[in-house]
Amino acid sequence: MTITTQLDQLCINTLRTLSIDAVQQAQSGHPGTPMDAAPTAYCLWQRFLRYDPEDPNWPNRDRFVLSAGHASMLLYSLLYLCEVKAMNPSYKQVGGLAVTLDDIKRFRQAGSRCTGHPEYGWTSGVETTTGPLGQGAATSVGMAIAERWLAATYNRPGYELFEHKVYALCSDGDMMEGISSEAASLAGHLQLANLCWIYDDNHISIEGSTRITFTEDVAARFLGYGWNVTRVADANDLELLTRSYNTFLDTHDRPTLLIVQSHIGYGAPHKQDTREAHGEPLGAEEVRLAKEFYGWDPDAQFYVPDGVPAHFREQLGRRGVTAHAAWEKLFAAYRIHYPELAEQIDCMQRRDLPESWDSALPTFPANTKGMATRDSSGKVLNAIAEKMPWLLGGAADLDPSTKTHLSFESAGDFQAPGEAGDYRGRNFHYGVREHAMCAISNGLSLSNLRPYTASFLIFTDYCRGALRLGAMMEIPVITIWTHDSISMGEDGPTHQPVEQLASLRAMPGMMVVRPADANEVVEAWRVIMQLKDRPVCLVLTRQAVATLDRTRYAPASGVARGAYVLADALNHNPDVLLLATGSEVALCIAAYEQLKAEGINARVISMPSWELFESQSQEYRDSVLPPEITARVAVEAASSFGWERYTGFGGTILGLDTFGLSAPMKVVAQHFGFEPAHVVAAAKEQLMRHVLSSEMRLS
């Protein structure tokens, strides 16, 4: 064994033993995959990855995504040994190590940067939050798409600013999850030659050998997707791994799947049940046996031999620093020759908006016939996108229905270069792949583009995992959901959302906005575009809703505060409050006018975003919903769940507690009571109840 080979093996075994010790000390975690995948990851990081530990946010760095998030200690060990520097939450350099040895010793403990599964924004060097299997793999497709778009849009002859690769380490579980299949199918169609999935084929899952669940020919499946597939028969063969990575780099017309055969918990041959090596600590005896197998001092804990960090600095570190410095020099020259394009790149990195981004926003005249909010949103989206070149996206085979197609001349379609489009296109076609679509948009956002996605509101059920991770990562993905209620009519209860609004509102960090008319849509987009640290669900109608006369009612700018008084009683002294979102606001306005004609003082409150409203001062919230006015009616064509926070338990909630009905829209609305007369009756009942209650108290 040569000195270089000995040093390579020493580094690999250091990765393994750090992982073993961290899991054992925590008495929690997965030691097996870090042990068997250590050579695979080591070869990639040391010999290929273009990554500057001094600046883990360098725009043209290669991306490494640990889709097998349960193997988190492998990534933390790499970040520590490579001396990756920490960044603050706004990703400006602050120095210090992203992961310290103390963090590793406190793996899975409160305050440690070594959390149970990798968390983006908490630990520098973690490119995306992973853990739910398949999410990292699908998100990596978004990162690869982003690189193709950036290169096609901003590279110029002699100025190859964007040419990075995207690698994802995947497990058997990743290969089983449906989202990975969705994403791999699209990646093959798009010929993403900058994408490499590394499949750690160790034939094990929590329940045991994959023989009991997973016997398909994965290679054949990926060949069918249009991928290049290469194999490594032994994960410990660094030279064969090197040749396989070079095969990926030499493939220019398709993504690559590198299948690496390994054994779970490699180096712990005495384990009787390999499931334990996968899902729980090895135990003190097995730790000693494994370390002896590696030639390690069995009594040493968290031991890092002399020369290991220096070896990482000499290879990964030197290569990354050199490449980064060359890129900075290139970008400085690019800035002189292409100042406008350079400014766009700078804006992207800061998540800033370009000047005059909102200069073409439309205004909509009052119209009793009105338009669907999906239609007005489409007009607003195009007005903004034409001013903001990195606002891009598409729908899951539904852009004619969601009105999310960018129709101006330069928009184009994102496709592998050919007659159908090229990589400069800003209209994405995801096919019927809702879950992958949302994970891919997370990857686009993590690359600092501003993506939007779209489908019907009911299909958020198919996207939940990716939506949740986007909220957890606090990234400003825009999701557009149309066909937002039982007003879909004839499509019936399978397509009529009921509980979806409540469930999205329950998601921490997610902003939900359901505008009432075309001008509220404009103001909703004005709010959305200024978000930098949270995703949003924009919920829109299929059916036309009246465009309110803002000379009679309050301006739509109140959307920025989440809820506002749209129509008020004389002297601003209402007896009853009518609360609603979206299309049901019009019902409340109609009821308000009828109550007003009968001498009843009502106030209509449009509440497009609970989250925005809750962020306002108590003084403002009380001015909209005076605590002393307890006669309240809330109207929303969705689950009534959650409205009690605004109506109180004595208020009336006109909502849904069943699934919908297949019938024409007007019949459905009548069946469930979504008519002005029903709102009027509920308001009168509330007033009567409070009068009786007052009389009882007086008596």
Side-chain angles (χ1 to χ4, degrees), residues 145 147 288 385 392 403 425 462 553 562 591 598 656 691:
I145 288 172
E147 188 279 335
R288 292 183 64 85
L392 36 72
K403 308 300 181 183
Y462 283 9
Y553 306 114
E598 296 180 27
L656 289 167
V691 168

Side-chain angles (χ1 to χ4, degrees), residues 6-18 21 77 80-81 83 101 291 294-297 300-313:
Q6 289 176 344
L7 192 50
D8 288 334
Q9 194 61 51
L10 189 66
C11 291
I12 291 167
N13 288 340
T14 304
L15 292 170
R16 287 168 164 159
T17 55
L18 283 175
D21 286 340
S77 298
Y80 169 63
L81 294 176
E83 299 175 334
L101 192 58
K291 289 182 177 179
Y294 297 144
W296 228 250
D297 179 353
Q301 289 189 316
F302 302 102
Y303 172 56
V304 178
D306 292 341
V308 168
H311 189 50
F312 277 102
R313 282 196 300 272

Side-chain angles (χ1 to χ4, degrees), residues 530-551:
Q530 296 178 74
L531 297 175
K532 291 187 177 186
D533 59 0
R534 68 189 305 179
V536 64
C537 290
L538 178 61
V539 182
L540 305 168
T541 68
R542 182 187 72 168
Q543 78 278 13
V545 292
T547 304
L548 297 172
D549 183 351
R550 297 293 170 165
T551 64

Side-chain angles (χ1 to χ4, degrees), residues 167-180:
Y167 301 88
L169 181 62
C170 307
S171 64
D172 288 293
D174 289 288
M175 293 296 112
M176 294 185 214
E177 286 286 359
I179 187 174
S180 298

